[in-house]
Amino acid sequence: MQRFSIALIAAAQMFIGCDKNDLENDLYIECGTRYYYYGTEKVFLTEISNMGSISFYDILSPEIINEILENHPEVEILSSPYNSRHYTISIDSKNCFETDEIFNSIKKDSRVSNCNKFLMTKESFTFGITDVFICKLKSNTTHDQLMELIKKNEVEILKQDTEIHHYIIRADKKSNGDALEMANTFFESGLFEYSEANLFGLFRTF
C-alpha cells in the first residue's frame, strides 16, 4: 500500500472520542472481514457500516451529485478532493447489511462506478478505497496473460506505462469484485510484483 499517497480527511473528527464498545455494537453487526497485502503478508480489515465512499465514472458537478443522491437522505457527503471522481460519505445505517442495500440502490444510477464501505485495521485505523488499483507486472508476465485476467474479471485499464509494466485499473460495479478484491486476485495470480488498491483517509478512530 506504500505506493499510493494517502490523503487525510477532515471527516476523521466524527469518530474521535467515540466509545469503542458502542461502535462495535452499532457498526460491525453482520460486517465482513477483508484483507490487503503488505508485501506478501495479509493485513486483515473489518468493514464498518456508517462511513464509505462513492466513485463516479466522470468528474461531476455538485448539482449532479446532489441529484443522484436526493433519493437517499440517509447518505451525506463529507468530503471530496478537488477535481476528483471520489467522494467520502456518511451513512445513517444500523449495520452493514443495511448499508449494502443502500449502496445497491445507489449503484443503479449509470453515473456511479462503485460504492464501498470504509475499513478498519486491528489498530483502529480507518480508511476507504476507490474504484481503482495499481499493479506492476513481473518481467516474465506476458501481455496476453494480463489481458486474460482483465477480460475474466471484467475490469478496465485506465492508464499504463508498458516500459515499466505499470498499470492503473478500474474495478467498477460490473467487475468480479471491488478494487480491493481485484487487487488481491491479481496479486494472487502470481503474475505481478505488486497489486494494490487505492487507499485514502487513513486516520485513528479511538
Side-chain angles (χ1 to χ4, degrees):
M1 296 298 173
Q2 58 269 40
R3 295 174 184 84
F4 269 109
S5 60
I6 300 177
L8 292 176
I9 296 178
Q13 297 174 355
M14 69 181 291
F15 284 109
I16 303 301
C18 292
D19 182 81
K20 184 172 183 178
N21 291 329
D22 290 342
L23 280 173
E24 286 177 345
N25 291 335
D26 294 339
L27 306 183
Y28 304 152
I29 298 173
E30 300 179 18
C31 290
T33 300
R34 311 288 301 276
Y35 67 91
Y36 69 88
Y37 283 97
Y38 185 81
T40 58
E41 179 185 356
K42 284 184 179 180
V43 178
F44 288 93
L45 311 161
T46 301
E47 295 178 330
I48 60 175
S49 65
N50 74 339
M51 196 169 180
S53 62
I54 300 178
S55 295
F56 298 92
Y57 287 110
D58 300 297
I59 296 172
L60 303 176
S61 69
E63 292 77 18
I64 294 177
I65 300 297
N66 289 333
E67 173 193 322
I68 293 171
L69 296 178
E70 66 181 357
N71 293 323
H72 303 281
E74 63 279 346
V75 174
E76 179 181 355
I77 294 173
L78 297 177
S79 67
S80 174
Y82 175 73
N83 208 31
S84 173
R85 298 187 297 107
H86 314 293
Y87 283 72
T88 304
I89 58 172
S90 66
I91 309 105
D92 184 10
S93 170
K94 297 177 182 177
N95 53 56
C96 281
F97 176 79
E98 190 172 295
T99 300
D100 287 338
E101 292 296 305
I102 294 169
F103 282 174
N104 287 337
S105 178
I106 293 173
K107 286 190 286 187
K108 291 178 181 178
D109 192 290
S110 61
R111 294 163 289 190
V112 175
S113 172
N114 223 336
C115 304
N116 297 96
K117 294 185 287 292
F118 261 48
L119 304 165
M120 182 179 293
T121 69
K122 65 180 181 180
E123 295 84 12
S124 299
F125 286 100
T126 304
F127 55 85
I129 61 175
T130 68
D131 62 346
V132 299
F133 64 99
I134 183 172
C135 57
K136 182 177 181 180
L137 294 177
K138 290 182 176 179
S139 58
N140 60 346
T141 299
T142 67
H143 181 72
D144 287 344
Q145 288 175 307
L146 169 64
M147 295 313 298
E148 182 179 352
L149 265 181
I150 294 289
K151 183 177 180 180
K152 178 180 178 181
N153 291 286
E154 300 185 74
V155 295
E156 174 189 7
I157 297 174
L158 296 182
K159 295 181 181 180
Q160 58 184 306
D161 187 332
T162 54
E163 289 188 5
I164 60 173
H165 310 295
H166 177 277
Y167 296 83
I168 296 177
I169 300 174
R170 172 157 56 199
D172 66 8
K173 58 193 174 187
K174 296 174 286 187
S175 302
N176 287 353
D178 62 25
L180 181 57
E181 291 171 306
M182 290 295 92
N184 292 340
T185 295
F186 274 50
F187 183 74
E188 289 164 358
S189 72
L191 301 175
F192 299 85
E193 289 188 15
Y194 60 82
S195 179
E196 302 171 347
N198 182 16
L199 304 184
F200 68 97
L202 183 65
F203 47 82
R204 191 74 178 269
T205 54
F206 307 117

